[in-house]
Amino acid sequence: MLISVALGQVLSLLICGIGLTSKYLSEDFHANTPVFQSFLNYILLFLVYTTTLAVRQGEENLLAILRRRWWKYMILGLIDLEANYLVVKAYQYTTLTSIQLLDCFVIPVVILLSWFALLIRYKAVHFLGIFVCILGMGCMAGADVLVGRHQGAGENKLVGDLLVLGGATLYGISNVWEEYIIRTLSRVEFLGMIGLFGAFFSGIQLAIMEHKELLKVPWDWQIGLLYVGFSACMFGLYSFMPVVIKKTSATSVNLSLLTADLYSLFCGLFLFHYKFSGLYLLSFFTILIGLVLYSSTSTYIAQDPRVYKQFRNPSGPVVDLPTTAQVEPSVTYTSLGQETEEEPHVRVA
C-alpha cells in the first residue's frame, strides 16, 4: 500500500518539475509556448514508442493497429492535447486558487466514468478518503488566500474557470480511457498512438496558433536547458503514469497528483521566495491521510461477465463462469497495491 502511495508521489514530483520549468520559461524568459512544449513531448513519445510499434510483427504492428482503431486514437490524441492546452490557457484569465480548486473536478469525472464505463465499484472508505483529499486541497487554497498567492490575472474569471473545468473534464476522459487501454491492450500501444496523433495535431495547432510566439523566444543555452528539462519531465510522466495506473487506478492516481501543487510551493519557498503558512503542511498531511484511507481497501468490479472478458490476461487459464449463483468475483480490481492473483479468462455461454 505504501509503495503504491509512493509511486503516486513520484508522478507528483514530475508534475512539479513540469510546473517549475514552465514558470521559468514564461516569467523569466517570456516564452509562452504551451503547444510547442506539448509538441516536444509528443515527438519524444513518437520516437520511442511509435517506432517500437512500427518494427513489431503481426497484430501488434503499427499499421495493423491503425487499420483497426485509428479513429479512436485520433479522438484520444485530440482530447489529451486540448486538456493540456485548456488548463495552461486558463492561467491568463483566472487566479491560481481557482485553478487549484476547479482542477479537482477531474476526480468526480474519473469516478463517474470508472463506475459506468469500467464497472468499478467503490466502498464507503474510498469516498471518505476522496473527501479528506479534497478537504486538504481546500486547506491549501485557504493558505494561498492568507499569504496572498491567490492573486493572479483574474481579468476574466468566468472564462478562466470554464477553461479549467473543460480541461479537467478532458483529463478525466483521457485518464479513464488510458486505464482501459493499458488493461485490455498494452502500455506501448497507448503511448505509441498518443505520440503519433499528439505530434500530428499539436504540430498543426503550433503552426496555426503559436508560430509567432515561438519566433519571439530569445534562444540561448538556458532556455534550451529549460525546454530539455520540461520535455524530460513530461516524457517521464507519460511513460510512468500507465505503470502506476495499471498497479492502482485512474482515480487513485488523480488523488495522488493533488500533492503536486504543494511540492511546487515548497520549491517556490526557496526559488521564488513564496510566503510560508503552517496550513500548507496541514494540507499536505491531510491529503496523504486521504490517500492512505483510499488505499486501505480494494475496489472491485461489478458482477458482469463482460468485464472479465474485457480485462483478460492472455497467459491465464480459461475458466467457466457460473450462470445461476450470485458469486463474488474471484479477482478484485485493486485500487492501490499489487494484485494478488492473475485475472482469469471467462468463457461466456
Side-chain angles (χ1 to χ4, degrees):
M1 179 185 70
L2 295 178
I3 290 175
S4 298
V5 172
L7 291 176
Q9 296 313 294
V10 172
L11 296 178
S12 282
L13 288 171
L14 288 171
I15 291 182
C16 173
I18 292 168
L20 290 176
T21 51
S22 295
K23 183 176 177 62
Y24 273 117
L25 284 169
S26 62
E27 294 190 2
D28 290 8
F29 298 96
H30 307 288
N32 297 308
T33 57
V35 178
F36 177 66
Q37 290 165 228
S38 295
F39 178 71
L40 292 176
N41 172 56
Y42 290 127
I43 287 295
L44 287 176
L45 293 175
F46 177 87
L47 293 175
V48 175
Y49 296 105
T50 310
T51 53
T52 300
L53 293 176
V55 299
R56 285 183 171 180
Q57 303 296 321
E59 293 299 309
E60 294 184 347
N61 179 264
L62 176 64
L63 294 178
I65 294 171
L66 285 174
R67 281 196 297 268
R68 296 194 304 271
R69 295 183 285 271
W70 67 270
W71 63 273
K72 298 178 182 179
Y73 284 115
M74 181 183 70
I75 295 173
L76 181 57
L78 271 173
I79 289 174
D80 188 77
L81 171 64
E82 298 309 322
N84 292 321
Y85 178 77
L86 289 178
V87 174
V88 172
K89 192 71 174 176
Y91 281 91
Q92 299 179 16
Y93 298 99
T94 190
T95 61
L96 174 65
T97 303
S98 293
I99 292 174
Q100 290 171 339
L101 290 176
L102 294 175
D103 202 35
C104 294
F105 186 67
V106 68
I107 295 173
V109 172
V110 169
I111 291 173
L112 288 174
L113 289 177
S114 297
W115 184 284
F116 291 107
L118 302 182
L119 301 182
I120 297 174
R121 297 297 180 259
Y122 302 92
K123 301 175 183 177
V125 68
H126 295 124
F127 292 108
L128 178 61
I130 292 168
F131 174 77
V132 172
C133 286
I134 295 177
L135 188 65
M137 281 299 297
C139 183
M140 184 182 70
D144 284 343
V145 173
L146 290 177
V147 301
R149 286 187 70 233
H150 66 293
Q151 299 300 327
E155 296 174 355
N156 197 336
K157 280 188 90 284
L158 179 59
V159 172
D161 293 348
L162 290 175
L163 288 175
V164 178
L165 291 174
T169 302
L170 294 180
Y171 271 132
I173 296 172
S174 176
N175 288 165
V176 174
W177 203 336
E178 176 179 355
E179 180 174 357
Y180 177 81
I181 291 171
I182 62 177
R183 291 187 184 278
T184 58
L185 299 169
S186 76
R187 165 180 169 269
V188 174
E189 177 175 329
F190 168 77
L191 293 173
M193 302 308 288
I194 282 289
L196 175 64
F197 287 104
F200 176 75
F201 288 118
S202 62
I204 294 175
Q205 192 166 339
L206 173 64
I208 295 173
M209 302 177 60
E210 211 171 80
H211 64 281
K212 293 182 180 179
E213 287 292 332
L214 195 59
L215 294 175
K216 296 178 184 177
V217 175
W219 293 98
D220 60 21
W221 68 270
Q222 291 178 307
I223 291 181
L225 194 60
L226 287 172
Y227 276 115
V228 169
F230 175 90
S231 301
C233 289
M234 277 291 273
F235 179 77
L237 178 68
Y238 270 70
S239 298
F240 191 50
M241 183 176 282
V243 177
V244 182
I245 286 180
K246 189 169 185 178
K247 182 178 287 291
T248 60
S249 69
T251 304
S252 62
V253 165
N254 279 281
L255 290 173
S256 298
L257 297 184
L258 294 178
T259 57
D261 288 329
L262 287 163
Y263 289 130
S264 298
L265 167 72
F266 295 146
C267 292
L269 293 174
F270 302 98
L271 298 175
F272 309 115
H273 307 291
Y274 289 159
K275 294 180 181 179
F276 178 76
S277 170
L279 288 176
Y280 289 126
L281 287 177
L282 178 62
S283 172
F284 180 74
F285 288 111
T286 301
I287 293 174
L288 288 183
I289 290 172
L291 287 172
V292 172
L293 283 173
Y294 185 90
S295 63
S296 62
T297 187
S298 300
T299 56
Y300 63 95
I301 299 176
Q303 295 176 4
D304 189 330
R306 291 173 298 175
V307 176
Y308 290 97
K309 188 176 181 181
Q310 292 169 352
F311 290 84
R312 61 188 182 276
N313 182 357
S315 62
V318 178
V319 298
D320 291 316
L321 179 72
T323 57
T324 57
Q326 290 284 339
V327 295
E328 284 291 327
S330 60
V331 178
T332 58
Y333 189 100
T334 308
S335 59
L336 279 176
Q338 295 184 353
E339 296 176 356
T340 57
E341 55 182 336
E342 294 294 327
E343 298 174 352
H345 277 299
V346 173
R347 182 181 295 114
V348 182

